[in-house]
Amino acid sequence: MSQDTEAQYRSIFENAVEGIYQTTIDGRYLRVNPSLARIYGYDSVAELVENLTDIAGQLYVDPGRREAFA
């Protein structure tokens, strides 16, 4: 990936109004954009990643739905 392409991707990721994320299979966030942090009520990406360590158990009413989504 060229530096220009990477810079464009990073800009889109960081500035999108939609929440964008990447997770591990076991339900931890790897990458989160600032919009997702705001949507979930966190002041920063770091705060969200530190506090949401079990996506299925903490965000889903029915934790089994995460498995279905995955």
Side-chain angles (χ1 to χ4, degrees), residues 36-64:
L36 188 67
R38 283 191 300 276
I39 289 166
Y40 287 157
Y42 290 96
D43 293 328
S44 70
V45 167
E47 185 183 4
L48 182 151
V49 171
E50 182 178 315
N51 288 289
L52 281 176
T53 58
D54 176 15
I55 294 169
Q58 291 176 279
L59 294 178
Y60 284 76
V61 172
D62 175 1

Side-chain angles (χ1 to χ4, degrees), residues 17-37:
V17 295
E18 298 87 2
I20 302 172
Y21 61 90
Q22 182 179 27
T23 67
T24 64
I25 291 175
D26 64 341
R28 296 182 64 89
Y29 285 106
L30 290 172
R31 292 188 181 103
V32 175
N33 73 342
S35 289
L36 188 67

